[in-house]
Amino acid sequence: VNTINREKKNIHVVGLLDTLEYLKKGGRISKTVAFVGGMLSIKPVISIEAGEVAMLGKARGSKQGNNLLVQQIEKAGGIDFSRPLYLGYAGLDDITDSAHLWKEHVDSLDIMSVGGAIGTHVGPGAIAVAFFAL
């Protein structure tokens, strides 16, 4: 039990949303925020902290969104590639956009499709990285 309690502090989940549309549909943000965010191509980066969804930052465009995702992973301590690492996608099967996160460190990795309950709120194009920090 002590080992589990110690290790769970090193587990991080960080995600990048491709659109604000599904947060609007789920009542998480207003129509105005979704409209303005869509016009500016805002890509939020989120995390799970103490069981709650937390906004880590917002970026304009996919490239800046991916950069912010990497920055947040590094801020969490970086990925310990000797331990389990998972990528989760909503509505995607192409992992080339996130290959920079892992391809220099491992030959392959487990990729999972995000389930319907979460996928409904984040929408297609979302990516989540679950990892142990260094």
Side-chain angles (χ1 to χ4, degrees):
V1 171
N2 290 333
T3 301
I4 290 171
N5 285 328
R6 183 179 63 247
E7 290 296 325
K8 72 181 182 182
K9 295 175 185 173
N10 293 323
I11 299 172
H12 298 274
V13 178
V14 181
L16 172 66
L17 306 184
D18 190 50
T19 179
L20 298 174
E21 182 66 23
Y22 294 86
L23 292 176
K24 178 191 81 172
K25 287 181 179 183
R28 306 276 187 226
I29 61 173
S30 71
K31 290 180 183 180
T32 304
V33 169
F35 177 75
V36 172
M39 297 263 314
L40 296 175
S41 190
I42 298 294
K43 310 292 182 193
V45 175
I46 60 171
S47 180
I48 307 296
E49 296 177 2
E52 299 287 326
V53 176
M55 176 75 70
L56 298 179
K58 300 174 215 162
R60 289 189 66 187
S62 294
K63 185 174 183 176
Q64 288 183 4
N66 279 320
N67 290 341
L68 182 57
L69 179 69
V70 170
Q71 288 173 4
Q72 292 300 326
I73 290 170
E74 290 170 354
K75 186 177 175 182
I79 298 172
D80 183 350
F81 287 97
S82 68
R83 304 182 82 183
L85 163 70
Y86 293 97
L87 287 180
Y89 286 92
L92 296 173
D93 58 4
D94 181 12
I95 62 169
T96 57
D97 282 351
S98 62
H100 62 279
L101 291 172
W102 57 271
K103 82 176 187 180
E104 293 180 15
H105 305 281
V106 294
D107 294 329
S108 65
L109 75 141
D110 293 320
I111 300 166
M112 302 178 166
S113 180
V114 173
I118 293 173
T120 299
H121 294 287
V122 299
I127 176 177
V129 184
F131 63 97
F132 282 89
L134 291 170

